[in-house]
């Protein structure tokens, strides 16, 4: 890949396809397309971020642009695939934001720590346990069959043994 980032890191809030010979750009948008869609000369003072596949080489006017962050991929992947991959990143990020808000709402709802553990399990898909500083179990995902001897013994006992804590510290 060819990388040119004179603007440094720039926040990307949206993505769009790059239109052929486009000359108007928004600095908050990541444009995705092909090098054949790039304008011959990039407008001065226009900040933009572009990710494209190399199907025709980068025009000199774009290589020399001062406000253009440009990443050119020559990996045989098309712009639609790139767009979908970037869109999947945005979707994952939005899902994390939604889940964080839902978990925060759950915490402030006053329904207790057990409710937080249940909602957390639903959001992340993994069993959750909450314990205090003495490793006493305060809450855990209930009504769930977990294929882990350590989990099942801890739930039955109601606290983490020294050996269990030692194993968990080594595995982190």
């Amino acid at each position: 890949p060819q990388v040119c980032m004179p603007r440094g890191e720039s926040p990307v809030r949206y993505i769009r396809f790059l239109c052929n010979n486009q000359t108007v750009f928004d600095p908050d948008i990541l444009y995705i397309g092909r090098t054949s869609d790039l304008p011959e000369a990039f407008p001065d003072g226009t900040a933009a971020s572009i990710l494209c596949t190399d199907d025709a080489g980068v025009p000199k006017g774009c290589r020399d642009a001062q406000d253009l962050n440009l990443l050119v991929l020559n990996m045989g992947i098309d712009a639609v695939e790139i767009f979908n991959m970037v869109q999947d990143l945005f979707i994952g990020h939005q899902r994390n934001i939604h889940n964080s808000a839902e978990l925060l709402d759950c915490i402030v709802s006053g329904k207790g720590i057990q409710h937080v553990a249940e909602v957390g399990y639903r959001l992340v898909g993994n069993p959750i346990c909450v314990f205090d500083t003495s490793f006493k179990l305060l809450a855990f995902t209930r009504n769930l069959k977990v294929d882990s001897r350590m989990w099942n013994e801890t739930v039955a006992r109601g606290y983490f043994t020294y050996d269990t804590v030692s194993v968990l510290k080594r595995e982190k």
Side-chain angles (χ1 to χ4, degrees), residues 16 19 33 47 62 68 74 78 85 100 117 122 124 127 132 144 152:
R16 290 190 63 160
C19 296
C62 288
L68 173 62
N74 49 6
D78 74 359
M85 285 187 240
S100 297
R122 183 175 50 77
V124 299
D132 64 14
L144 181 68
N152 293 324

Side-chain angles (χ1 to χ4, degrees), residues 26-79:
D26 184 322
D28 292 336
I29 295 175
L30 172 64
Y31 295 91
I32 299 174
R34 303 170 306 206
T35 54
S36 60
D37 295 326
L38 292 169
E40 286 300 316
F42 200 76
D44 285 337
T46 301
S49 296
I50 300 175
L51 171 61
C52 56
T53 59
D54 191 1
D55 68 335
V58 178
K60 181 169 178 16
C62 288
R63 282 194 306 262
D64 298 337
Q66 293 301 307
D67 295 318
L68 173 62
N69 283 343
L70 179 63
L71 175 61
V72 179
L73 302 175
N74 49 6
M75 303 168 27
I77 188 169
D78 74 359

Side-chain angles (χ1 to χ4, degrees), residues 71-116:
L71 175 61
V72 179
L73 302 175
N74 49 6
M75 303 168 27
I77 188 169
D78 74 359
V80 173
E81 288 178 87
I82 294 170
F83 185 91
N84 287 338
M85 285 187 240
V86 173
Q87 184 69 7
D88 287 344
L89 293 173
F90 273 76
I91 290 168
H93 182 69
Q94 288 298 318
R95 190 173 288 130
N96 288 340
I97 290 171
H98 172 78
N99 289 349
S100 297
E102 188 173 344
L103 195 55
L104 184 59
D105 287 346
C106 172
I107 290 168
V108 298
S109 73
K111 294 182 181 178
I113 197 76
Q114 182 61 44
H115 181 66
V116 173

Side-chain angles (χ1 to χ4, degrees), residues 4-30:
C4 178
M5 293 188 62
R7 292 179 53 217
E9 288 186 26
S10 302
V12 173
R13 294 183 186 6
Y14 313 100
I15 58 174
R16 290 190 63 160
F17 280 112
L18 177 65
C19 296
N20 190 22
N21 291 311
Q22 182 171 334
T23 57
V24 177
F25 296 91
D26 184 322
D28 292 336
I29 295 175
L30 172 64

